[in-house]
Amino acid sequence: MLHDRVLVRLDGGEGERRSSAGIVIPATASMGRRLSWAKAVGVGPNVRSIVVGDRVLFDPEERAEVELHGREYVLLRERDVHAVAASRVESDGTGLYL
């Protein structure tokens, strides 16, 4: 990994989902712009806020897909990450980590 790049693997499939009430939402249902969660599997040397294993929130339309050893990953810049979910992030902070 070079510079401020983050390599992530998507959490779930892009298939059908379930609502909190248990209703099945098919993959073909049209939805508005939606952010996606992924797990960081590699980070570049200039990445400050993300470590391997963190869950990150990003816009799936601003991504570059890559295939390594038969698995699909997404390559992002650190500035394209909207949020980081990690146990090391302090809850009393301002939330401004990027």
Side-chain angles (χ1 to χ4, degrees):
M1 301 300 305
L2 298 174
H3 310 294
D4 66 339
R5 301 301 195 267
V6 180
L7 186 69
V8 299
R9 184 177 60 231
L10 293 175
D11 278 351
E14 297 293 323
E16 60 185 34
R17 301 174 306 278
R18 283 195 184 271
S19 70
S20 59
I23 299 171
V24 176
I25 303 168
T28 57
S30 65
M31 296 189 61
R33 188 169 163 170
R34 183 177 200 144
L35 299 178
S36 296
W37 284 102
K39 182 176 182 179
V41 295
V43 296
N46 296 337
V47 174
R48 299 171 297 177
S49 305
I50 304 167
V51 297
V52 173
D54 285 351
R55 288 186 68 219
V56 297
L57 186 67
F58 71 98
D59 185 353
E61 293 183 11
E62 298 173 3
R63 68 181 185 179
E65 296 180 6
V66 63
E67 185 176 328
L68 299 170
H69 303 291
R71 298 185 83 175
E72 290 189 18
Y73 297 93
V74 176
L75 187 61
L76 304 167
R77 290 178 181 234
E78 185 180 19
R79 69 179 181 204
D80 294 334
V81 173
H82 294 276
V84 177
S87 58
R88 68 180 180 1
V89 177
E90 300 168 6
S91 61
D92 61 343
T94 62
L96 302 174
Y97 298 107
L98 297 179

